[in-house]
Amino acid sequence: MTRVSIDLNADLGEGFGRWTLTDDEQLLSVVTSANVACGFHAGDAATMRRVCELAAERGVRIGAQVSYRDLAGFGRRSMDVPAAELTAEVAYQIGALEVFARAAGSRVAYVKPHGALYNRVVRDEEQAAAVVEGVLLASAELPVLGLPGSRLHEAAEEAGLPVVGEAFGDRAYRADGTLLPRGQEGAVVTDPGEVVERAVSVARFGVVTAHCGHPVAVRARSLCLHGDTPGAVGLARLVRDRLESSGVRVEAFA
């Protein structure tokens, strides 16, 4: 059996004030990379600090999950933000998280867009370039986590930034390798058995079945486990256990 490895990432720190969403402490016992909300779609200073401390204690890599400024819409609403403004806001979010990561004895190890911004930079060259400029403004060396073949990855590579391909076990794919929009029926895969099987297929063979039934090649170094779905912790443990029992080494990419 060929020995392969994959990173497990989850969106964490997605609370705000007295409102909590993700079980950060439990998920940090499963994942190897934490995409920490930086206050624009979720998260606040106290939450960012707490998650960074927990991640550092467990040796989990800390990533800046940057977003459009959209607390009310959880960063999932389409927005038209001028490129220069987006660049500044991306750098701002990375810088804010870096303060808490360093205070915890760690650092920001990578950047991942969230929600509407994640989907926008798959095809939008201007917005993708603005995100990359924001990363460069904050730090010239951070890897960019995103969808393989995206405009974001093209812009990052042109700028000399490392890119890391990401896949999803609980999201439906279109035949072109992009994600089925959340507003469409079947966009989120809810059956635990199917999620586990898809995760193993991505890690072992680089293939996932699209919503239409066709196989799609997915070259991914990291697998996302959404933390805001019901039963997220139990599902994450199932995925990790099955990966490891299938001969897949689970380890951080950064």
Side-chain angles (χ1 to χ4, degrees), residues 128-207:
V131 170
V132 170
E133 285 299 316
V135 176
L136 293 172
L137 185 59
S139 169
E141 301 177 352
L142 292 179
V144 177
L145 179 61
L147 205 67
S150 63
R151 293 291 181 266
L152 176 66
H153 274 185
E154 290 179 2
E157 288 179 328
E158 289 176 2
L161 295 177
V163 299
V164 181
E166 179 180 39
F168 299 82
D170 61 354
R171 288 295 311 279
Y173 280 78
R174 294 186 286 205
D176 65 356
T178 60
L179 299 177
L180 194 69
R182 280 183 175 269
Q184 295 188 25
E185 184 177 354
V188 178
V189 181
T190 57
D191 178 73
E194 185 177 355
V195 172
V196 170
E197 291 302 322
R198 289 163 65 88
V200 172
S201 180
V202 166
R204 295 275 296 125
F205 309 111
V207 175

Side-chain angles (χ1 to χ4, degrees), residues 13 32 57 63 65 81 175 179 200 214 248:
T32 46
E57 288 172 4
Q65 189 171 35
V81 179
L179 299 177
V200 172
H214 294 160
V248 178

Side-chain angles (χ1 to χ4, degrees), residues 30-201:
V30 181
V31 301
T32 46
S33 296
N35 315 318
V36 183
C38 298
F40 272 39
H41 76 279
D44 54 31
T47 301
M48 292 162 67
R49 181 180 184 183
R50 177 178 57 81
V51 174
C52 284
E53 290 173 347
L54 290 171
E57 288 172 4
R58 291 160 173 76
V60 175
R61 301 297 186 270
I62 297 170
Q65 189 171 35
V66 298
S67 170
Y68 289 128
R69 188 188 293 270
D70 181 28
L71 278 174
F74 197 60
R76 287 180 175 161
R77 298 185 295 189
S78 178
M79 303 181 75
D80 291 317
V81 179
E85 183 177 336
L86 181 59
T87 290
E89 292 191 337
V90 166
Y92 178 94
Q93 292 174 77
I94 297 169
L97 187 64
E98 180 70 8
V99 169
F100 299 119
R102 287 191 177 276
S106 185
R107 63 184 177 86
V108 172
Y110 64 94
V111 176
K112 173 186 173 179
H114 164 81
L117 181 59
Y118 186 100
N119 293 318
R120 181 76 171 266
V121 296
V122 169
R123 293 192 172 94
D124 191 314
E125 293 183 9
E126 182 183 60
Q127 295 280 281
V131 170
V132 170
E133 285 299 316
V135 176
L136 293 172
L137 185 59
S139 169
E141 301 177 352
L142 292 179
V144 177
L145 179 61
L147 205 67
S150 63
R151 293 291 181 266
L152 176 66
H153 274 185
E154 290 179 2
E157 288 179 328
E158 289 176 2
L161 295 177
V163 299
V164 181
E166 179 180 39
F168 299 82
D170 61 354
R171 288 295 311 279
Y173 280 78
R174 294 186 286 205
D176 65 356
T178 60
L179 299 177
L180 194 69
R182 280 183 175 269
Q184 295 188 25
E185 184 177 354
V188 178
V189 181
T190 57
D191 178 73
E194 185 177 355
V195 172
V196 170
E197 291 302 322
R198 289 163 65 88
V200 172
S201 180

